[in-house]
Amino acid sequence: MTRTAAAAAAAFLLVTPALGADVGRPRAEAPAAEAAGPDDAYGFLDGTGVGSPGDRGLTSETTARFGKFDGRYAGVNTKLEAGWTPVQRLQVSLAVWAAYHDIRNNTVPGYPNQNRFAFDGIAGQVRYQLKERGAAPFDPGLTVGLELRWGRFSEGLGISAERFAATFKVAADAALVGDRLYGAVNLNIGPGTERPRGALGYANDSGLELGGALAWRVGEGASTFVGGNVRYVAAYGGAFLNQWGGHAVLVGPTFFHKIGDVGPLKDTFVSLAWNAQVWGRAAGGATGSLDLVNFERHQVRVKLGGAF
């Protein structure tokens, strides 16, 4: 991890009050514009909102990854996720995944040629809000979560495989300038294991991601946010970050717009994000100044959602 990224994360967390400070404490009502919240406006990062008891939502999230060292590489993962907030501060969700891979003539890392679209498993997630984000500047929220996933393809290679993965998530966000500028920090870490079709045993891996985001409301009370992401990602062999395999820094813009009610869905929105790899290194320096073994040149995310 770069010293700059580590310092930024540490500075954000240092301004966070004690986690339990808001439990049982009266809180002034947030203005309507702030209550709409930018929880889905952080692109590749998550906000801390989990909804109110009884809330139900449906989201479609598609992440496309393009470009390896040479040849042609495109990997697209789509998940359709239904979420529910059964009690205060707790959100649960269930998702189904699909995957598309278009790979041709890659020499490094030597991915096999293929072109196919298929069902790619299921996932379940639990998120718990330790602290609600306040309306006042630098009164951050904090949410932790765990996602469990079963998949039918190798995460990067796109070959048929049985894959199991767990991701532990920590998200913090805060209003920085009134109800106009918001910031978020995410830390995701977790193990995975997979067995390619025809292989005798499972191979373990793990990953780490630390990211920061800003979201700026374009006008007073507006439903549109623009901003940006900075993410540090690292890949490891072994289930507990045992053997470093490579790391990269990705940077890019974000866009969010709250559309409103559409048919049976309420508070619908669209969120767009693009990140480009600006620096990286694979183990052994196989692809020069970028890590194009474990990560891609470009990543794009499109997210649509609403409540019902």
Side-chain angles (χ1 to χ4, degrees):
M1 178 187 311
T2 63
R3 294 182 180 179
T4 303
F12 188 95
L13 294 176
L14 283 174
V15 302
T16 305
L19 302 183
D22 74 329
V23 177
R25 183 181 69 187
R27 181 181 298 278
E29 288 295 321
E34 196 281 332
D39 289 308
D40 294 290
Y42 298 123
F44 285 89
L45 279 71
D46 296 324
T48 60
V50 296
S52 302
D55 283 357
R56 297 175 297 170
L58 186 67
T59 59
S60 170
E61 180 182 287
T62 298
T63 302
R65 307 177 310 279
F66 303 101
K68 290 291 186 177
F69 182 74
D70 57 5
R72 180 171 66 187
Y73 180 93
V76 182
N77 295 97
T78 297
K79 71 171 177 178
L80 183 63
E81 184 172 35
W84 177 44
T85 304
V87 296
Q88 191 75 22
R89 298 182 181 273
L90 180 69
Q91 182 184 64
V92 295
S93 60
L94 182 65
V96 294
W97 287 76
Y100 169 74
H101 295 92
D102 182 11
I103 303 174
R104 290 290 183 274
N105 304 322
N106 278 260
T107 59
V108 178
Y111 291 171
N113 290 347
Q114 56 185 294
N115 186 304
R116 64 178 171 184
F117 173 84
F119 168 69
D120 190 24
I122 60 174
Q125 181 172 233
V126 176
R127 302 179 75 223
Y128 184 76
Q129 186 183 65
L130 294 170
K131 182 182 182 300
E132 184 180 3
R133 184 187 69 240
F138 295 98
D139 184 10
L142 183 65
T143 296
V144 296
L146 171 64
E147 182 181 46
L148 302 177
R149 183 182 172 192
W150 165 73
R152 299 178 60 246
F153 294 97
S154 174
E155 189 73 9
L157 294 174
I159 59 177
S160 296
E162 185 173 48
R163 178 170 178 82
F164 300 93
T167 304
F168 302 93
K169 303 180 178 183
V170 180
D173 70 349
L176 303 178
V177 178
D179 71 340
R180 297 295 295 275
L181 180 65
Y182 294 81
V185 171
N186 283 188
L187 173 64
N188 297 335
I189 187 171
T193 186
E194 64 183 48
R195 179 174 61 84
R197 181 173 296 177
L200 296 178
Y202 286 84
N204 297 328
D205 58 76
S206 47
L208 179 149
E209 178 174 335
L210 175 64
L214 292 174
W216 172 260
R217 193 189 299 271
V218 299
E220 189 70 29
S223 299
T224 301
F225 290 82
V226 294
N229 289 169
V230 177
R231 300 156 57 215
Y232 170 84
V233 290
Y236 295 84
F240 302 101
L241 311 182
N242 305 90
Q243 183 178 0
W244 177 76
H247 58 185
V249 174
L250 300 103
V251 179
T254 63
F255 172 85
F256 171 88
H257 179 68
K258 185 176 178 181
I259 301 168
D261 297 348
V262 177
L265 291 178
K266 302 176 182 179
D267 298 325
T268 61
F269 67 86
V270 57
S271 174
L272 309 173
W274 165 58
N275 278 188
Q277 188 178 159
V278 297
W279 175 88
R281 181 174 176 81
T287 54
S289 60
L290 298 177
D291 181 356
L292 299 175
V293 175
N294 300 289
F295 309 104
E296 299 77 31
R297 295 183 186 273
H298 303 280
Q299 297 182 359
V300 177
R301 176 165 291 179
V302 179
K303 188 174 182 179
L304 302 169
F308 62 91

